[in-house]
Amino acid sequence: VFGPTSHPAWRVVDWMTALLFAADLIVQWRRAGVLRPGQLGSHKLNWRLRAWLAFDWIAAIPGPLLAGHGWMLSLPLAKLPRLARLTRQWRKRATRHGSQVRLIVFVFWLVLIAHWLACGWAMMRLPRPGHDEFTHYIHALYWCITTLATVGYGDITPETPAQMIYSMFVMIVGVGLFGYVIGNVAHWLANIDQAHTQYQNNLDRLATFLRYRRVPADLQRRIFDYYAYLWENRLVYDEFAILAELPVPLQSEVSLALKKDFIEKVPFLRGASRHLIRDMSLELHPAIYMPGDFVFHAGEMARHIYFISRGSVEIIASDGQTVLSTMHDGDFFGEIALLFHQPRSASVRALEYCNLYALDKATFERILSHHPAFAAHIQAEAQRRRESR
């Protein structure tokens, strides 16, 4: 639009751009399999790879350095298809901050389109007397932004038929962008943290239900404390529902990753075989108890063995008052009744917020049958605790 420039800073930018595109061409060429040690000159490329390399070749030609005018100045724009492809890949891979990435990509293309439209207006309109190229561009960008935003103050107006047609085109683009922003960007901003949005919606629905059913205020407070604890510790996701959608190998890997900290706390699991840890990690179900909650009472039939991931519990004798012991992170309990097929001999009460993992009876017995060393350890520990009581 403004032609060649002799300013030293822009010449440096031109050289840096040429070197960057040349280096990227080599990288893309090697990645496509054209340049490899021992395979120089290999042409085992399909037409899609050749097409992308063609764009890279064109963009790597230093047009602004070889020719000071004409269409050669636009050769670096051949990199745009590669840039568009890169942003699409970035959006697909950005699983952690998907909404933020989509917003950043949208703003980038919006700014780039505004820049192009401003350049078009600057090319169609002569600069005012005394204005240099930069000031002329700022005026064009100002007109473009006000027109795209459908504000149009009217201080810069089209004068020729060509400018009027261009203005109408920019207005149409602005109306489309305005509708797109209202319909999508507002939705992105409202759902940047989808977990928090879902959590807040669940709380609102729960509060309405509790008020409608006239649940006592003290019980309501405990319920909301429970959900607040879940949110603060990022426990609001249904772990098993998410894992169920994955293939079995990925289920094992994700389950091990999620329970890594817990496995390191359990003494006998630190040196256990990978098969034992994998079997247990897939079957352990999370269970959360609030301060004062009973995990089970004395006399109940045993259905689970429990492992403490975080928190502490106290073991209470069958009289309901005598505290036999206290257990903390990495300890397990409930195995005596399961192994000896008898009712619970004691009660267990949470002293604080406790994150437990529960293993049901059938799974527990299956794991014992497949892992003798683990079974021997559990049997010895259960016998020791049984005799101490």
Side-chain angles (χ1 to χ4, degrees), residues 12 127 201 221 268 276 284 312 388-389:
V12 172
N201 291 337
R221 179 185 58 79
F268 70 86
L276 170 61
L284 290 171
S312 56
S388 64
R389 296 175 186 176

Side-chain angles (χ1 to χ4, degrees), residues 280-305:
M280 289 192 62
S281 64
L282 286 173
E283 301 295 343
L284 290 171
H285 291 257
I288 299 174
Y289 291 87
M290 300 175 64
D293 287 349
F294 279 87
V295 181
F296 53 76
H297 292 83
E300 293 181 358
M301 293 304 299
R303 295 185 178 88
H304 297 87
I305 179 176

